[in-house]
Amino acid sequence: MKQCPNCSSEKYIKAGIVSNRQRYKCKICNYYFTVDKVGKQIDDYYVNKALQLYLEGLTYREIERILGVSHVSVSNWVKKYGIKRPYSAKYHPTYKILNHNELQNYFLDTKNITGAGVLVTELGDKFMLIKWERFRD
Ligand SMILES: [Zn+2]
């Protein structure tokens, strides 16, 4: 590294982690590529993201599915940084992964964003939208 294996450009951005390998997207030719095992040196970006999602109420398995880092790593970070989340059975977070256009369309429709808390966080080259809904009795 560091250049795109398809066009040799040095302009690329992080685009998620796949099986503990950092994935990149070339800004010139849009080619996706990964580099060798990130292993123990997983970028702080994903540690922060994982802990953020954990605090929002997502489970280890859900975080694994979204970020591509193992649930064991996430559980270790939670312990390492002593993260505690308030227990609440009244709210349940749901989430969607959206690209920029889908995100815009989502917010154009007011019924999507009334009556529930909504948080948007950047996720690689996409966005994740987390929404809390109150359980109905
Ligand atoms: Zn390229």
Side-chain angles (χ1 to χ4, degrees), residues 96-113:
K96 301 172 191 293
I97 309 290
L98 303 171
N99 66 29
H100 183 235
N101 279 340
E102 291 165 339
L103 189 68
Q104 278 185 314
N105 288 334
Y106 187 87
F107 280 110
L108 281 175
D109 191 345
T110 34
K111 78 173 183 312
N112 283 334
I113 50 174

Side-chain angles (χ1 to χ4, degrees), residues 14-96:
K14 285 180 182 170
I17 285 189
V18 180
S19 311
N20 281 345
R21 287 157 62 99
Q22 177 67 54
R23 189 174 70 143
Y24 295 95
K25 180 188 184 188
C26 175
K27 288 173 84 172
I28 306 302
C29 71
N30 289 329
Y31 183 80
Y32 284 96
F33 56 100
T34 53
V35 294
D36 285 339
K37 278 219 177 277
V38 181
K40 287 190 175 13
Q41 293 178 326
I42 291 181
D43 199 306
D44 284 348
Y45 175 88
Y46 292 97
V47 179
N48 285 325
K49 240 3 139 181
L51 296 177
Q52 196 181 0
L53 298 182
Y54 176 76
L55 275 173
E56 302 307 346
L58 274 65
T59 66
Y60 294 142
R61 294 280 178 179
E62 287 173 319
I63 298 169
E64 173 177 279
R65 225 176 306 132
I66 292 167
L67 293 181
V69 293
S70 92
H71 62 276
V72 178
S73 299
V74 180
S75 141
N76 288 339
W77 298 333
V78 167
K79 280 183 213 129
K80 179 177 173 188
Y81 296 103
I83 306 292
K84 287 196 173 67
R85 60 183 179 191
Y87 176 77
S88 171
K90 288 208 172 70
Y91 293 90
H92 178 74
T94 56
Y95 57 90
K96 301 172 191 293

